[in-house]
Structures are given as structure tokens and as C-alpha cells.
């Protein structure tokens, strides 16, 4: 009877560990949210428990909006009682939401926000991806050394911290290689780019780099081709969703973009297992964002198990003590500032798919 009572009591007090997942599930960049969510769910299926307790995922939509990005974090913490958050995708959303996470003392781990400011001066916000000084440098090295490009028109989305930052980091490194640049501005949601493209043509650009996200990258490529541009198209990780090709069609063939992972790059044993499991579950190849979402979940679980209890402050510290973690996207070390140092992958659009082009290591961009 006593044993039975103990069992019943322990069953009743047996908790769940709640993890918030804040993503753009609707709105302008909803393709990104869907991709990350696939990776997080696969990871959760592989590791549904930590410290002997069930992990419950609470998905909250930020609607691809900055204000909602902050509200979603508040809601996850105050209403749902999550002990940690995976998110967000866009740097501007991680900046808005990260402010709230920091104030409330709950760790937020971004799979993919690459702007340096996302973690700067914060204790609770970390990421599992590289940052844009490196991504911009890799783009510049690829353009100048591998493509031989001399003049780049950079299309900057002035509403996105990611785009503004990546542009400047690209320019710094590209000028060192003797290249010339012209910045040309647009805003998230713009549909019509002929004025900007005319400027790029007048500049004599041999490449157009769009540092924003896939909806506008696809439209710029289409309209630039229509207006007679015949040079290269370049982009950063913001290009990396199948919707780029669905919207851009023929116009994005040959476009090069930097990203975090490609299933053919097979960097670690875990990458191979991840690709196999992903194909089994979803009947398609995994995207970079799925791999990053998978890694974010696994690193959070590792941090929680190291702490031995679901204490938000200790989890935040433990995330920054992760060294040489074998992830799907590579070997991940998170430094004391919450950033990861990893190699950059370059993909090219070929026959409507993303083909692996090359890898750029941190020491190549110096
Ligand atoms: N790096 C982008 C940002 O910071 C987000 C992103 C990452 C989008 C990877 C697609 C793929 O805003």
C-alpha cells in the first residue's frame, strides 16, 4: 500500500519540461518557420525526455512581425511557463524577443539569427549558427576570388537588421579585395524593383547581391533579368527556402547563396544520421533551417541534462559551456558571448534545386 501511494504521488508530481518554440509560422517569411519546426519536431521525437521528464514543445507564432516577436516571447514565458525558448529565425525578431527573454531571465537559443547584435551584451540569448561578419566575409571571398566579380550592386532591405549588417560586412571584405560596390535600398514586402535595378545597371554591376529574404530575392532576380541584367545573382542565408525557386522560377537558376548546411556536405556522423532520419520522416531532403532547428533542440537538451534541473538561469549558462558538440550542421562550440564559430556552405540553384557548391572555413576570409 505504501509503495502504491508513493507511486501515485510521484506520478502526480511528475512534471513536464516546457520548451517554447517561437517561429514565423505565418506572414512574410513563414517558409522559414515551417522548416525549423520540422527539424525541432524530429529532434523531439528522437529525444522526447530529459532528466527523466517529458519535454513538451509549445509552438508560438511571431507572424513574421517584430512586435509579435516580442509578444510571443512574453506569452511563452508568462502564460505557458516555458523554461527555455528555441527561436527566432530573423535577426530583427530575435532582437525584439531577446530583449524580453533577457529581462525575464529565460534562455533563448536561436537556430539561425546571424546578426552580431542578437547576443551582444546579453546573458540569456545564444545561437547555434555563425555570425554575419563571417558570412559577409565568405560572400565577398566567394564573389571576388571564386567568381572574379569586380562591381557589386547590393540590394539592402532597410527594415531588416540582418540585411543592413550583412551588407556592411560584405562591403568591408569585398573592398579589401579591390572590389567596388553600390548600395541600393528596398523594404520588406516591396514588389516592384525597376527603379533599383535601373541603378544597378547604370552602375555597371557584374553581380547583384540581395541581402534580404527569399520573397524579395526572387522578385529582384526575375525583374533584373527582364530588364536585361546578365551578371551573377548572389544572396546570403535569407535565400534558403524552397519558396525561392517557387517564386523565382527560371530567374533564380545559377544564383549562389551562403548558408549553414547542405545534405550532401555530410560533415559529421550525426549529419548522416540526421539526413537519413529526416528523409524517413518527411520523404524529402532536409533544409539548412531544419538542421539548425534540430541542433538547437539537441543543444538545449544537453544543457538541461548538464544542469540536472530545469533552472532557466543555469540552463542559459550551460548553453555557453557547450564545446565540440556533434550536431547535424557540424561541430558546435558556443563561446562565452553565446555565438558559434562554424564553416559557411555555398549553394547554387541548379535545375530548380539547391546544389552544394563549396565550403568556406573561418581562416579563409582573413
Ligand atoms: N540569418 C537570417 C537572419 O539573421 C535568418 C536565416 C537563417 C534565414 C538561415 C534563412 C536561413 O535574419
Amino acid at each position: 500500500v505504501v509503495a502504491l501511494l508513493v507511486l501515485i504521488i510521484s506520478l502526480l508530481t511528475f512534471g513536464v519540461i516546457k520548451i517554447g518554440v517561437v517561429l514565423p509560422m505565418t506572414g512574410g517569411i513563414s517558409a522559414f518557420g515551417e522548416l525549423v519546426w520540422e527539424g525541432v519536431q524530429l529532434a523531439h521525437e528522437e529525444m522526447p525526455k530529459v532528466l527523466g521528464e517529458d519535454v513538451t514543445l509549445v509552438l508560438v507564432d511571431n507572424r513574421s512581425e517584430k512586435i509579435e516577436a516580442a509578444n510571443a516571447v512574453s506569452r511563452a514565458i508568462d502564460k505557458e511557463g516555458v523554461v527555455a525558448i528555441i527561436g527566432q529565425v530573423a535577426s530583427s525578431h530575435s532582437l525584439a524577443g531577446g530583449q524580453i527573454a533577457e529581462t525575464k531571465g529565460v534562455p533563448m537559443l536561436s537556430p539561425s539569427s546571424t546578426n552580431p547584435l542578437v547576443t551582444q551584451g546579453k546573458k540569456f540569448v545564444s545561437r547555434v549558427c555563425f555570425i554575419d561578419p563571417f558570412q559577409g566575409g565568405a560572400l565577398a571571398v566567394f564573389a571576388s576570388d571564386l567568381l572574379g566579380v569586380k562591381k557589386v550592386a547590393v540590394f539592402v532591405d532597410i527594415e531588416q537588421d540582418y540585411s543592413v549588417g550583412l551588407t556592411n560586412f560584405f562591403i568591408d571584405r569585398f573592398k579589401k579585395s579591390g572590389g567596388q560596390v553600390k548600395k541600393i535600398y528596398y523594404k520588406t514586402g516591396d514588389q516592384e524593383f525597376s527603379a533599383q535595378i535601373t541603378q544597378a545597371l547604370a552602375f555597371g554591376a557584374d553581380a547583384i547581391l540581395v541581402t534580404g529574404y527569399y520573397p524579395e530575392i526572387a522578385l529582384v532576380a526575375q525583374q533584373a533579368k527582364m530588364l536585361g541584367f546578365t551578371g551573377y545573382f548572389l544572396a546570403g542565408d535569407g535565400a534558403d527556402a524552397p519558396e525561392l525557386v517557387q517564386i523565382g522560377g527560371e530567374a533564380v537558376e545559377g544564383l549562389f547563396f551562403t548558408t549553414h548546411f547542405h545534405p550532401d556536405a555530410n560533415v559529421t556522423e550525426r549529419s548522416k544520421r540526421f539526413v537519413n532520419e529526416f528523409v524517413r520522416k518527411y520523404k524529402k531532403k532536409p533544409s539548412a533551417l531544419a538542421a539548425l532547428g534540430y541542433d538547437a533542440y539537441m543543444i538545449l537538451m544537453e544543457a538541461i541534462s548538464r544542469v540536472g534541473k530545469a533552472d532557466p538561469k543555469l540552463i542559459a549558462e550551460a548553453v555557453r559551456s557547450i564545446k565540440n558538440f556533434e550536431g547535424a550542421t557540424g561541430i558546435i562550440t558556443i563561446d562565452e558571448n553565446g555565438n558559434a564559430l562554424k564553416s559557411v556552405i555555398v549553394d547554387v540553384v541548379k535545375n530548380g534545386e539547391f546544389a552544394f557548391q563549396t565550403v568556406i572555413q573561418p581562416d579563409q576570409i582573413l
Side-chain angles (χ1 to χ4, degrees):
V1 176
V2 174
L4 194 65
L5 265 178
V6 169
L7 183 69
I8 289 167
I9 288 166
S10 66
L11 276 176
L12 285 174
T13 54
F14 199 76
V16 296
I17 294 183
K18 276 191 169 184
I19 305 292
V21 186
V22 180
L23 297 171
M25 301 308 291
T26 58
I29 54 167
S30 60
F32 290 154
E34 202 52 56
L35 297 172
V36 174
W37 183 228
E38 288 172 348
V40 171
Q41 283 177 290
L42 178 64
H44 180 246
E45 197 177 287
E46 259 177 49
M47 193 177 281
K49 283 175 181 280
V50 67
L51 308 174
E53 295 186 19
D54 286 331
V55 177
T56 302
L57 295 176
V58 182
L59 177 63
V60 187
D61 181 12
N62 68 22
R63 294 194 238 148
S64 302
E65 284 169 18
K66 290 179 205 178
I67 292 172
E68 274 308 303
N71 290 343
V73 169
S74 294
R75 223 178 313 135
I77 297 170
D78 297 339
K79 294 230 170 71
E80 302 285 350
V82 305
V83 294
I85 290 169
I86 295 170
Q88 302 184 27
V89 177
S91 289
S92 57
H93 300 162
S94 287
L95 279 163
Q99 205 63 54
I100 308 286
E102 188 73 16
T103 311
K104 295 190 185 283
V106 171
M108 189 174 102
L109 184 59
S110 173
S112 61
S113 291
T114 46
N115 187 282
L117 299 174
V118 166
T119 53
Q120 200 168 293
K122 301 210 176 70
K123 289 194 161 59
F124 289 87
V125 185
S126 299
R127 65 182 124 214
V128 303
C129 56
F130 55 64
I131 57 175
D132 286 334
F134 176 43
Q135 176 167 217
L139 262 169
V141 167
F142 182 75
S144 65
D145 301 5
L146 291 140
L147 298 179
V149 162
K150 301 264 182 299
K151 277 184 148 190
V152 178
V154 190
F155 282 55
V156 192
D157 183 341
I158 51 165
E159 286 199 347
Q160 299 298 337
D161 302 272
Y162 158 69
S163 182
V164 171
L166 184 59
T167 298
N168 293 330
F169 298 121
F170 169 81
I171 291 176
D172 288 347
R173 184 61 186 76
F174 191 66
K175 281 190 171 161
K176 278 194 198 155
S177 297
Q180 283 175 268
V181 291
K182 180 173 179 60
K183 284 196 211 180
I184 297 175
Y185 302 100
Y186 72 93
K187 289 200 308 295
T188 298
D190 281 357
Q191 304 273 341
E192 221 284 312
F193 298 91
S194 56
Q196 287 97 327
I197 293 162
T198 304
Q199 286 182 58
L201 290 167
F203 175 59
D206 45 17
I208 287 179
L209 163 63
V210 189
T211 55
Y213 300 125
Y214 64 89
E216 292 84 13
I217 297 169
L219 293 178
V220 169
Q222 268 180 345
Q223 295 172 25
K225 283 217 163 147
M226 245 156 31
L227 291 171
F229 179 74
T230 55
Y232 290 111
F233 287 112
L234 301 169
D237 53 0
D240 201 351
E243 280 70 4
L244 177 79
V245 177
Q246 284 163 26
I247 303 166
E250 269 295 308
V252 296
E253 275 294 308
L255 177 146
F256 294 103
F257 64 92
T258 44
T259 188
H260 307 258
F261 166 87
H262 189 285
D264 296 343
N266 265 342
V267 261
T268 65
E269 274 308 308
R270 191 168 204 158
S271 314
K272 285 183 208 156
R273 267 190 288 133
F274 165 74
V275 173
N276 289 338
E277 286 306 297
F278 192 94
V279 170
R280 180 194 52 77
K281 185 171 164 68
Y282 296 107
K283 316 282 179 248
K284 61 174 183 182
K285 292 268 178 76
S287 61
L289 280 173
L292 289 166
Y294 178 93
D295 283 350
Y297 179 90
M298 289 301 185
I299 283 180
L300 206 48
M301 291 306 116
E302 174 66 22
I304 294 172
S305 60
R306 281 186 193 182
V307 170
K309 58 179 181 199
D311 178 306
K313 185 164 185 290
L314 297 178
I315 297 169
E317 285 168 14
V319 164
R320 293 185 175 192
S321 72
I322 299 282
K323 303 282 171 265
N324 298 316
F325 182 89
E326 191 181 329
T329 56
I331 304 293
I332 302 170
T333 289
I334 301 183
D335 67 19
E336 67 281 8
N337 302 314
N339 300 324
L341 185 66
K342 295 157 84 187
S343 50
V344 164
I345 304 277
V346 181
D347 280 3
V348 61
V349 182
K350 212 175 179 175
N351 301 321
E353 304 217 327
F354 297 157
F356 171 64
Q357 179 75 22
T358 191
V359 188
I360 298 177
Q361 306 294 346
D363 58 7
Q364 282 175 264
I365 71 151
L366 300 174

